[in-house]
Amino acid sequence: MPMEIDNFNFAIMKKRRAIFPGSFDPLTLGHYDIIKRGITLFDELIIAIGVNTDKKYMFTLEERKRFISEAFKDEPQITVLTYQGLTVDFCKKVNAGFILRGLRNPGDFEFEKAIAHTNRKLSEIETVFLLTSSGKSYISSSIVRDVIRNGGDYSGLVPDSVRTK
């Protein structure tokens, strides 16, 4: 017998919490696009800045956190955290059931597919892919860093919070 909606306890429904992991060096309009669309799919979205001690970053961890926090200051369902180690271990730590990833092109898909399969093998975490909007699919953090390094105008590639560097 179907349950009547009046008798259903909505409070016991599990929240859909996802993480969107990356180095965000810097946050780009491509990232921004995926995050804005991702918050419509999940109750909570954790922007997870991965820390890799072997990697050289253009922006400090504090700057990257500030760029993201300022860009999404009016989005209460977004939290910005940092982590080290495996992304699936971080998911377990924060009780996230999903990993959100953006895809710009077929190369991204092949790379991300292998990681998603590995993550699924290691845990029960599901990866959700969103295609970057067509007008933003050419933007990558490495391209933005190159433009900045060479004194180019990067204002059309990043959110306002990064432009105020």
Side-chain angles (χ1 to χ4, degrees):
M1 178 175 193
M3 183 179 283
E4 295 294 322
I5 196 160
D6 293 339
N7 297 330
F8 187 76
N9 184 352
F10 287 97
I12 62 171
M13 289 179 64
K14 184 178 177 185
K15 285 195 173 201
R16 294 167 309 184
R17 179 179 294 142
I19 69 161
F20 183 48
S23 61
F24 305 103
D25 186 36
L27 178 71
T28 70
L29 289 178
H31 295 130
Y32 188 88
D33 171 62
I34 296 296
I35 294 166
K36 288 296 275 189
R37 291 170 42 226
I39 58 177
T40 67
L41 302 174
F42 301 103
D43 300 309
E44 298 174 27
L45 184 58
I46 298 169
I47 312 306
I49 305 172
V51 178
N52 180 344
T53 54
D54 295 331
K55 190 172 177 182
K56 299 284 186 222
Y57 297 103
M58 176 174 270
F59 296 96
T60 67
L61 181 59
E62 291 73 27
E63 286 174 313
R64 291 179 281 146
K65 284 173 68 173
R66 188 179 74 245
F67 295 157
I68 298 166
S69 295
E70 286 178 18
F72 297 102
K73 65 181 179 232
D74 296 326
E75 301 291 351
Q77 68 270 48
I78 290 180
T79 305
V80 182
L81 298 175
T82 62
Y83 76 101
Q84 284 185 285
L86 294 176
T87 302
V88 291
D89 291 341
F90 181 70
C91 286
K92 291 175 190 171
K93 184 177 178 181
V94 298
N95 198 28
F98 305 92
I99 297 172
L100 177 63
R101 298 300 294 157
L103 301 174
R104 295 171 296 186
N105 54 50
D108 279 357
F109 174 73
E110 290 302 323
F111 177 75
E112 293 291 346
K113 180 177 74 168
I115 294 172
H117 284 311
T118 303
N119 287 341
R120 185 75 177 129
K121 184 79 171 169
L122 295 173
S123 70
E124 294 296 313
I125 306 297
E126 290 290 349
T127 301
V128 175
F129 297 111
L130 289 181
L131 298 177
T132 304
S133 297
S134 62
K136 307 206 177 26
S137 63
Y138 67 96
I139 303 172
S140 71
S141 290
S142 57
I143 289 173
V144 173
R145 287 192 305 272
D146 195 45
V147 171
I148 292 170
R149 250 188 243 106
N150 290 288
D153 179 8
Y154 63 99
S155 62
L157 306 172
V158 298
D160 289 342
S161 62
V162 178
R163 286 181 227 146
T164 60
K165 175 186 150 324

